[in-house]
Amino acid sequence: MYEIIYEDVEEKNEYKKIIEKVLSKCFEEEKLKDLKLCITITLTTPKNIKKINKEYRNVDKATDVLSFPMFEKEELEVKIKNQNNKYEDILGDIIISIEKVEEQAKEYEHSFERELSYMLVHGFYHLMGYDHIQEEDKKNMRLKEDKILNDLNIKRD
C-alpha cells in the first residue's frame, strides 16, 4: 500500500504510525483496498523539496507537500470500477517537508499529527485526481479531506 523514504530526515516510528493510519482510511474510503496500488511517501527537508519543486514544477521555492499522480482521474475511476488489478501499480508519490509540518503545526496551533495527517490526505486526493484551482473543485476536495480527518478523530486543537 505504501513505502516510506526518509531523505535527510530522521526515521521516526511516530511518522510511520500516522502514515499507516491515514492512508489505510483513505484507501478504505475510496474503495482501493482490493486494488494493488502503492504510494511512495518521501519525508524530506525544505531544501530537497525546493529542488524537486524547481525541477518538476518550475517553482523556485520550498513548499509543504508535493504530489505526483501516475493516473488521470478518469483512468483511476475505471481501475476502481473494474477492481481487477492483477499486478501491483503505483498510484503516485507524495513528498512532504517534515520541517514545514512542524512549523505549520505551531503556526496553526494544532498538533504535529494533525498537520502531517492533513498533508497526507491532501496529497492522497491529488493522486486521486482532485485539485483546488477552481472553487467548486476546492470545495469537493476539502469535503473529502475533512471526512477522512473527522472519521479518524484528528481535529484541530
Side-chain angles (χ1 to χ4, degrees), residues 18-19 22-23 41 94 96 116-124:
I18 293 168
I19 291 167
V22 171
L23 289 184
I41 308 291
I94 300 172
I96 298 173
L116 179 56
S117 297
Y118 174 75
M119 287 188 195
L120 285 163
V121 172
H122 186 78
F124 173 81

Side-chain angles (χ1 to χ4, degrees), residues 1-22:
M1 179 166 83
Y2 67 88
E3 173 189 13
I4 304 172
I5 297 170
Y6 297 89
E7 190 175 307
D8 301 327
V9 168
E10 182 185 342
E11 187 173 331
K12 291 188 180 178
N13 203 34
E14 174 190 13
Y15 304 157
K16 186 177 184 215
K17 285 180 181 177
I18 293 168
I19 291 167
E20 170 67 32
K21 178 170 70 170
V22 171

